[in-house]
Amino acid sequence: RKQSVVAKQVELVASELLDEHMSDADKVLAINAYLCDTVDYDERYAKLQTSDEGTGDVNKQTDSEMNGEYNGKANDTADSSTAYGALINHKGICGAYAESFKLLADEMELPCIVVTGTLNGTEKHVWNKVKIDGHWCVVDVTTNDREDMGNIALNISDDVADHMLTGDDRYMYGDNYEQYKADTEIYEYYHMNGSYYSVQKIADAFAQELTVSKQAVLRTEPELDNAGFQKIVHEVMEQMGDVKLKGYYRLGVVYLERVSDDRY
């Protein structure tokens, strides 16, 4: 029954998203945006799934929680790891995002696979690879679903993804790996919308953006570290004069915000 409901929802959503003039890149953007807009990450279920080797106490839940007495309905917990959770309940974890992305991509005639592995070397994680105009790209909708610093992993290359994502042996490595190699950044979100700058030029771009906006999000090299981030912040402050900033970065994506509070 749930598979039937999901199939109908996939067909409905794809028909609403599709436009006859859409490119492959447009389709990927539309699917990613739809999932980010309509699905809430299920923090509680994510904690229930924590292994004994994980954070410890969070996996010591009550029997009723583990048996699915969650939101007042049996099996709502398990749904959060599936497309049913994301597309019908609008709540899920990484597996739900990735499965939903795959189903919608299939419906919109985009070659797509699901990749399993780890996030930041420790957390079990699931994401996708999708083919855009003959080029495979990495898409991690779960990571992209942020209001402050979104689309960090939208159409990135393997070289960039390797700083955060590691595929495991359930993903087709070995002899099959090369056919899914993602080796281009031309469809990457920040490149496509003109928000990518070299580390030498990003401070200038931030200073210009922050003179007209309270906050700005730009991308630079994924190798950016704490020292590089602090250097960017100091250069922006020097250019802007009497201004206080707060911010953070991940995978080369930098968020900066002008603040007036003396705590910063």
Side-chain angles (χ1 to χ4, degrees):
R1 183 190 66 82
K2 288 184 176 180
Q3 288 178 348
S4 176
V5 170
V6 167
K8 290 178 181 178
Q9 182 69 1
V10 166
E11 185 177 353
L12 174 63
V13 170
S15 66
E16 292 177 345
L17 296 179
L18 266 174
D19 181 288
E20 62 178 333
H21 302 296
M22 272 185 161
S23 65
D24 287 352
D26 292 334
K27 293 177 182 179
V28 174
L29 288 171
I31 296 170
N32 180 80
Y34 174 81
L35 294 174
C36 290
D37 289 344
T38 61
V39 183
D40 291 326
Y41 186 79
D42 194 340
E43 296 280 0
R44 190 179 181 194
Y45 180 63
K47 288 182 179 180
L48 289 174
Q49 294 301 293
T50 303
S51 67
D52 291 338
E53 291 78 20
T55 55
D57 289 342
V58 294
N59 82 129
K60 296 179 180 178
Q61 305 294 327
T62 66
D63 290 340
S64 63
E65 286 176 319
M66 293 304 293
N67 288 333
E69 293 177 17
Y70 183 68
N71 294 338
K73 296 181 180 179
N75 296 324
D76 273 4
T77 304
D79 287 340
S80 285
S81 64
T82 71
Y84 188 91
L87 295 173
I88 307 304
N89 295 337
H90 302 292
K91 179 178 287 189
I93 60 171
C94 58
Y97 282 93
E99 186 176 312
S100 299
F101 186 93
K102 162 69 173 167
L103 291 173
L104 289 167
D106 287 349
E107 186 69 19
M108 297 171 74
E109 300 183 344
L110 287 169
C112 181
I113 61 171
V114 173
V115 184
T116 59
T118 58
L119 174 68
N120 300 324
T122 57
E123 303 172 43
K124 292 180 181 178
H125 198 53
V126 188
W127 61 97
N128 300 95
K129 280 191 171 182
V130 64
K131 205 169 192 178
I132 301 175
D133 298 333
H135 301 277
W136 286 100
C137 300
V138 177
V139 177
D140 181 359
V141 185
T142 312
T143 297
N144 293 337
D145 191 6
R146 295 183 53 155
E147 291 185 7
D148 56 349
M149 197 166 62
N151 297 329
I152 295 172
L154 181 52
N155 302 335
I156 59 177
S157 67
D158 286 332
D159 287 343
V160 175
D162 286 347
H163 290 271
M164 180 178 70
L165 304 171
T166 304
D168 62 23
D169 57 8
R170 290 180 293 164
Y171 166 56
M172 289 182 280
Y173 268 59
D175 294 339
N176 294 310
Y177 177 74
E178 286 298 318
Q179 74 181 89
Y180 296 105
K181 187 174 182 180
D183 56 5
T184 183
E185 290 289 298
I186 60 175
Y187 304 104
E188 189 275 322
Y189 177 78
Y190 290 85
H191 281 78
M192 289 192 73
N193 69 12
S195 298
Y196 180 90
Y197 296 88
S198 69
V199 71
Q200 292 83 13
K201 295 182 178 180
I202 194 170
D204 296 338
F206 265 120
Q208 185 174 5
E209 291 269 349
L210 291 171
T211 57
V212 295
S213 302
K214 184 178 180 181
Q215 66 240 3
V217 183
L218 304 174
R219 186 171 212 140
T220 188
E221 286 89 338
E223 294 81 10
L224 184 70
D225 57 13
N226 286 334
F229 172 69
Q230 292 297 331
K231 182 178 180 182
I232 291 169
V233 173
H234 290 149
E235 288 178 1
V236 175
M237 293 175 68
E238 286 179 2
Q239 290 190 44
M240 297 187 69
D242 187 18
V243 64
K244 296 177 181 178
L245 301 173
K246 69 174 182 179
Y248 33 86
Y249 70 96
R250 187 179 184 189
L251 206 66
V253 179
V254 181
Y255 172 93
L256 290 181
E257 179 180 342
R258 287 187 290 109
V259 294
S260 56
D261 195 315
D262 290 338
R263 292 175 299 174
Y264 300 105

